[in-house]
Amino acid sequence: MTEAPETTPSRRALIGWGGAGLALGAVAAGGAVAMARTGDDVVPAAAGTGAAIPFHGERQAGIATPVQDRLHFAAFDVKTDDRAEFVQLLKDWTAAARRMTAGQSVGEGAYGGLAEAPPDDTGEALGLKPSRLTLTFGFGPSLFEKYGEAFGIADARPEALAELPKFAGDNLDKNRSGGDLCVQACADDPQVAVHAIRNLARIGMGKVVIRWSQLGFGKTSSTTPEEQTPRNLMGFKDGTRNIAGTETDRLEKFVWVGEKDGPAWMAGGSYLVARRIRMHIETWDRTSLQEQEDIFGRDKGEGAPVGKAKERDEPFLKAMLPDAHVRLAHPDSNDGATILRRGYSFTDGTDGLGRLDAGLFFLAYQRDPRTGFIRIQRNLALDALNEYIQHVGSALFAVPPGVRDKDDWWGRTLFGKEA
Ligand code: HEM
């Protein structure tokens, strides 16, 4: 982090940024989308070198962009019914997000300002690189329920933003579920992600309050199939058949909300389902290798589907047991339903009974949750994996399109017009 004044360098000019499509093309061409700050200049740099991911674009970063290693996810509840105050918060958050994703401090920085006032930035990210920080913002169904009238947005609620239904086996903790707003902070450095959420919460004091939050380490899915597939806490490769960030056609079909889908303010956005899934790690660790492999329908070493040799070989579903996870989750078993998974492992200490409170913080983006997550999760009612997992937290958010330039702000397509 530097204390340089905000210069908002034009990344569009520098790399010909024209939205996610181009940026993703750049990733495919060698990771040129990532940028590193040196003083006030922005120069292209390879991913994984502490670089910055462009904040401005047609789509929000943090969905199809390469998945970083660390997560801090926060759900907020809104505490003001004053529309103007809330809109100002969205603008203030955007300004702070723009700076933090570029590796800059919030506002006037962490020191050097008025001695009598608390600094604008909390300071713990000073000296750290941008670390590919992405901040992805969304609105929850409860925002429309609680503040639809006060904010003049009641009629703008998307039909797709209905509360998720109850699924077989759910054991949801309301203190880890829901939320009027969300911010997903992903970065290669956990301190950079935590700093971002903390500073947004600080800026929102009195107007929003954190309802719940989740730290994640170790991505369990990726959008970059050319890299090694990460493994989840059950030891299996996870994300093999995920949508890649370069698959523009599949992203259009399954992830981005289309112009005609409605409402207009969501065009170019996506819907995010978050599920905190606890794993019964200790029971899993006493399960035979054969059973573990049967449960997923893939082998543990290579990650190949049953009867096949290589991880990327096309799964032959009928060779798997009827209740194998991959067989039940596959698009062919769900009328073609396909989602972009972007989850992380978590370990939040122990549960007081000598067991790890660990699992998968499942994050999935889709064009419509009714034909995405809900469709698949219903089919997973019979999943053999259910004996070893339990869904304990749940939330759904409408993630609007990207912040296009320095005058744009999170939620402008919803709140930009006078109520
Ligand atoms: C702790 C819970 C879970 C674990 C450990 C887990 C693990 C895995 C693993 C190891 C694979 C195979 C590799 C791959 O293609 O990614 C897989 C595939 C998949 N999972 Fe999960 N998963 C979990 C929960 C879920 C949930 C809740 C959903 C959605 C409702 C889901 C949807 C999928 C899909 C769509 C695939 C790809 C199927 C295919 O196209 O072959 N998973 N999962």
Side-chain angles (χ1 to χ4, degrees):
M1 292 266 162
T2 67
E3 289 303 302
E6 182 167 22
T7 54
T8 323
S10 167
R11 298 191 177 85
R12 280 170 185 265
L14 279 161
I15 60 163
W17 165 260
L22 268 183
L24 293 168
V27 170
V33 65
M35 317 288 280
R37 268 182 55 81
T38 48
D40 289 343
D41 303 327
V42 176
V43 290
T49 57
I53 301 281
F55 179 69
H56 294 149
E58 199 182 328
R59 325 282 191 198
Q60 290 199 57
I63 304 174
T65 47
V67 184
Q68 308 89 321
D69 288 330
R70 306 298 182 125
L71 168 85
H72 193 188
F73 189 97
F76 294 84
D77 277 342
V78 174
K79 292 291 165 195
T80 174
D81 58 8
D82 181 332
R83 188 183 197 273
E85 189 177 40
F86 181 65
V87 167
Q88 189 55 50
L89 171 69
L90 295 178
K91 291 180 178 174
D92 293 346
W93 267 9
T94 310
R98 186 180 285 122
R99 287 188 61 88
M100 291 191 287
T101 50
Q104 298 168 329
S105 302
V106 172
E108 299 293 315
Y111 60 86
L114 269 183
E116 293 75 21
D120 286 349
D121 188 286
T122 54
E124 72 273 26
L126 285 173
L128 300 181
K129 292 178 176 166
S131 308
R132 296 197 294 164
L133 173 69
T134 54
L135 294 167
T136 315
F137 170 81
F139 297 109
S142 53
L143 179 78
F144 292 85
E145 267 151 40
K146 292 191 248 171
Y147 298 103
E149 296 300 325
F151 291 170
I153 55 167
D155 295 343
R157 178 174 174 171
E159 275 177 30
L161 194 67
E163 295 288 350
L164 291 176
K166 186 169 168 34
F167 298 100
D170 275 3
N171 185 17
L172 304 182
D173 176 352
K174 68 174 175 24
N175 296 320
R176 291 188 192 274
S177 300
D180 299 340
L181 309 172
C182 78
V183 179
Q184 169 197 281
C186 300
D188 291 327
D189 184 329
Q191 186 138 327
V192 168
V194 168
H195 168 263
I197 294 295
R198 176 181 175 196
N199 279 270
L200 294 179
R202 180 179 185 280
I203 291 167
M205 213 171 279
K207 287 158 261 178
V208 291
V209 60
I210 291 193
R211 180 182 172 86
W212 56 271
S213 77
Q214 181 68 55
L215 287 173
F217 66 90
K219 57 184 176 189
T220 59
S221 272
S222 80
T223 51
T224 43
E226 65 279 9
E227 288 171 18
Q228 175 173 288
T229 309
R231 287 179 186 267
N232 59 36
L233 289 183
M234 288 174 160
F236 278 74
K237 288 185 183 172
D238 205 339
T240 302
R241 278 186 38 90
N242 205 17
I243 303 178
T246 44
E247 288 182 287
T248 323
D249 292 355
R250 292 178 83 214
L251 289 168
E252 290 291 345
K253 190 166 176 199
F254 297 117
V255 178
W256 307 126
V257 176
E259 298 272 346
K260 294 189 185 131
D261 294 355
W265 68 269
M266 272 299 287
S270 190
Y271 291 91
L272 167 62
V273 171
R275 305 279 287 185
R276 186 176 191 272
I277 309 178
R278 172 104 187 256
M279 289 175 178
H280 305 310
I281 296 266
E282 295 76 11
T283 321
W284 178 259
D285 292 346
R286 290 196 302 268
T287 305
S288 72
L289 177 61
Q290 185 62 54
E291 190 175 340
Q292 292 186 3
E293 295 185 335
D294 286 348
I295 285 170
F296 285 112
R298 286 181 176 271
D299 80 293
K300 201 164 189 175
E302 167 67 19
V306 176
K308 300 288 178 89
K310 290 283 169 205
E311 182 193 351
R312 304 270 164 206
D313 288 348
E314 201 57 36
F316 178 55
L317 300 184
K318 287 195 177 131
M320 299 174 188
L321 294 179
D323 58 357
H325 178 71
V326 165
R327 181 167 178 170
L328 293 172
H330 194 280
D332 288 356
S333 306
N334 295 287
D335 302 323
T338 305
I339 52 180
L340 187 152
R341 288 169 287 148
R342 219 180 188 283
Y344 287 82
S345 295
F346 70 83
T347 306
D348 293 338
T350 48
D351 66 359
L353 299 168
R355 298 175 304 202
L356 286 177
D357 180 4
L360 170 61
F361 187 64
F362 178 91
L363 294 169
Y365 286 89
Q366 59 243 276
R367 183 171 177 176
D368 188 325
R370 294 167 295 183
T371 50
F373 174 81
I374 295 174
R375 177 69 182 82
I376 302 170
Q377 182 59 19
R378 285 208 165 114
N379 208 37
L380 293 182
L382 301 172
D383 194 348
L385 185 59
N386 291 344
E387 198 180 328
Y388 301 92
I389 61 170
Q390 188 157 55
H391 290 234
V392 294
S394 175
L396 172 67
F397 300 96
V399 174
V403 172
R404 287 168 181 256
D405 54 38
K406 64 177 179 38
D407 299 320
D408 201 0
W409 39 280
W410 276 339
R412 195 236 340 130
T413 54
L414 175 59
F415 283 95
K417 297 190 199 80
E418 278 316 304

